[in-house]
Amino acid sequence: MIVKTPPLGWNSWNTFGHNINETMIKEMADAMVETGLRDAGYEYLVIDDCWSLHERDENGKLVADPEKFPGGMKAVADYVHSKGLKFGMYSCDGTMTCARYPSSFDYEFIDAATFAEWGVDFLKYDNCNRPVNYPGRLLYKRMGLALANCGRDILFSACNWGVDNSPEWIKETGAHMWRSTGDIVDNWQSIKDLTLAQLPLLKTNGQGCFNDMDMLVVGMGGKGNVGVGGCTVEEYRTHFSIWAFFGSPLMIGCDIRDMSEETKAILMNKEVLAVNQDPAYRQPFEINTVHWASELAWSAWARFMENGDIALGFFNLSDHNTNPCLAMADLGLGGRSGKALKIRDLWAGEDLGTFKDQFVANVPAHGARLFRGQIVDA
Ligand code: GLA
């Protein structure tokens, strides 16, 4: 199984935590279809921690909690599949999951076989309660091997939060995406912290194994399991812009049964999603960064698209409005090249004109602007 673009989907953790059940999950599957999320490309519906009983069965197999999932997991998977979606589940490389449910240490092949039998297409694999002397580098490889031999294509989503030098070895394990950050919570400080932590790791992101900046908090409005404070709509748009532009998987975390029009407009902007899902998957590079009092205030980034266009991301992490300036010479345009950039504003959905020397855009405090430029004759 080769994963060519960042996976898109929904995950239960950010809003629901342990509060999950079959009815709610089926309603999420319905909502993914009815809201248009599925057709916009969101494909995986993932149940996170807290789905099982506290004991394995007599054969050592994990058992879905019958109170939460009375029909069993195969029935949930079948329902999710009947909606044209893929089904994801969760386990962990230690003896217990982070929420202290049984986990896959020493049961890797049995659990991979169980997941395959249930029709699971995606496994999020966490990193809590690892026995001493068993490094993640070994345990993630064990599960990677078990999944690759379970007889079903299961996307391996390694979640070790970027610790233990994982950028050095995560691709050895067969992971298709890996959590390159700590846990997100629903506030601006968290979005800013995760963005800054991601910058040195961007060079490791790429096809086959994507840096996962953690699930989205867009639309949570301070409610739910990680709803600590909430963000403004502008901040949610910035969060989504950065995750999308940096090529992170986009796993929605809000209650999609009840999304505002603003939330829908953020999550389903086709032109922004097209940048995230660009088939060439080239890494973003920084073209202009300004620090204030030694803190990164704002930065301007570019990413070359498969069709020759250039995507531009202007991100303002500061508390002040800014007017970043992009010199076309920094992209090899203008001057003797005879070429200029015809620029479209992806959030406004507007063509802004053709620029041959420089391009300046206002970016409000905590804001982001995304553009796509086409190379044309000056
Ligand atoms: C860890 C992960 C989270 C979530 C919880 C579940 O903290 O990083 O994304 O899966 O465990 O307990």
Side-chain angles (χ1 to χ4, degrees):
M1 177 183 200
I2 297 173
V3 177
K4 294 191 174 144
T5 55
L8 308 182
W10 179 88
N11 175 301
S12 59
W13 183 253
N14 279 2
T15 293
F16 296 96
H18 69 273
N19 210 357
I20 48 176
N21 62 67
E22 184 174 319
T23 308
M24 180 275 279
I25 294 295
K26 286 182 173 172
E27 285 173 8
M28 291 303 160
D30 295 344
M32 283 180 82
V33 179
E34 283 155 17
T35 56
L37 283 169
R38 180 195 64 185
D39 293 344
Y42 294 90
E43 189 179 17
Y44 292 96
L45 188 160
V46 183
I47 300 180
D48 209 281
D49 206 348
C50 313
W51 57 267
S52 76
L53 283 180
H54 282 281
E55 300 296 333
R56 290 175 178 267
D57 73 9
E58 62 282 6
N59 301 315
K61 285 171 72 170
L62 292 166
V63 185
D65 181 337
E67 275 184 26
K68 291 177 178 170
F69 298 96
M73 277 304 170
K74 173 90 172 64
V76 179
D78 289 348
Y79 189 83
V80 171
H81 291 147
S82 77
K83 297 281 164 176
L85 297 164
K86 291 185 174 160
F87 181 52
M89 289 195 68
Y90 167 100
S91 189
C92 186
D93 64 359
T95 49
M96 281 181 296
T97 69
C98 301
R100 307 185 76 77
Y101 287 81
S103 161
S104 298
F105 173 76
D106 254 357
Y107 288 89
E108 290 85 357
F109 281 87
I110 296 179
D111 291 354
T114 306
F115 292 132
E117 192 184 305
W118 287 345
V120 169
D121 307 295
F122 177 113
L123 180 68
K124 174 172 169 181
Y125 204 53
D126 221 329
N127 192 37
C128 286
N129 304 307
R130 237 173 38 211
V132 256
N133 300 330
Y134 285 90
R137 189 171 188 160
L138 167 66
L139 297 186
Y140 276 93
K141 276 210 274 275
R142 278 199 197 174
M143 187 47 105
L145 202 58
L147 290 175
N149 288 281
C150 72
R152 187 176 171 88
D153 270 347
I154 299 186
L155 190 153
F156 186 24
S157 167
C159 176
N160 98 322
W161 325 300
V163 301
D164 298 335
N165 267 334
S166 54
E168 299 293 323
W169 50 262
I170 199 72
K171 289 182 185 170
E172 297 169 358
T173 68
H176 301 104
M177 57 191 257
W178 65 288
R179 266 282 291 288
S180 49
T181 63
D183 283 11
I184 198 165
V185 293
D186 181 18
N187 61 43
W188 172 247
Q189 190 61 45
S190 176
I191 288 165
K192 198 170 151 178
D193 290 345
L194 296 192
T195 300
L196 293 173
Q198 185 64 18
L199 298 181
L201 296 174
L202 282 173
K203 57 183 177 299
T204 66
N205 199 1
Q207 278 177 326
C209 186
F210 293 97
N211 289 19
D212 170 11
M213 294 174 69
D214 203 1
M215 296 152 316
L216 301 168
V217 293
V218 176
M220 286 184 62
K223 288 186 286 199
N225 189 37
V226 305
V228 189
C231 296
T232 64
V233 172
E234 179 88 50
E235 289 166 346
Y236 284 139
R237 198 180 298 110
T238 301
H239 161 41
F240 191 79
S241 299
I242 295 172
W243 267 234
F245 193 87
F246 283 0
S248 174
L250 302 171
M251 303 300 290
I252 299 168
C254 69
D255 187 343
I256 54 174
R257 296 169 302 186
D258 182 26
M259 287 186 288
S260 67
E261 290 309 311
E262 286 155 332
T263 298
K264 287 185 198 161
I266 293 173
L267 296 174
M268 289 188 270
N269 181 309
K270 286 205 171 88
E271 292 177 283
V272 174
L273 285 169
V275 172
N276 178 262
Q277 295 288 303
D278 189 70
Y281 198 81
R282 300 202 180 95
Q283 289 163 343
F285 57 95
E286 220 166 346
I287 35 183
N288 199 355
T289 294
V290 169
H291 291 82
W292 289 335
S294 81
E295 268 196 31
L296 189 151
W298 59 261
S299 55
W301 292 75
R303 228 180 110 180
F304 289 172
M305 301 282 98
E306 187 187 46
N307 72 347
D309 287 358
I310 301 178
L312 298 171
F314 288 12
F315 307 123
N316 182 359
L317 300 180
S318 82
D319 301 333
H320 308 278
N321 296 342
T322 56
N323 290 290
C325 174
L326 161 67
M328 289 302 153
D330 289 341
L331 292 169
L333 303 172
R336 283 201 203 129
S337 74
K339 299 291 176 190
L341 210 52
K342 185 172 170 229
I343 294 182
R344 181 166 170 81
D345 182 328
L346 301 187
W347 285 118
E350 276 171 19
D351 293 326
L352 302 181
T354 298
F355 300 80
K356 69 176 171 41
D357 299 318
Q358 62 173 32
F359 172 66
V360 180
N362 170 263
V363 190
H366 302 190
R369 306 282 303 271
L370 291 181
F371 308 98
R372 186 163 177 141
Q374 186 191 355
I375 315 277
V376 294
D377 292 335

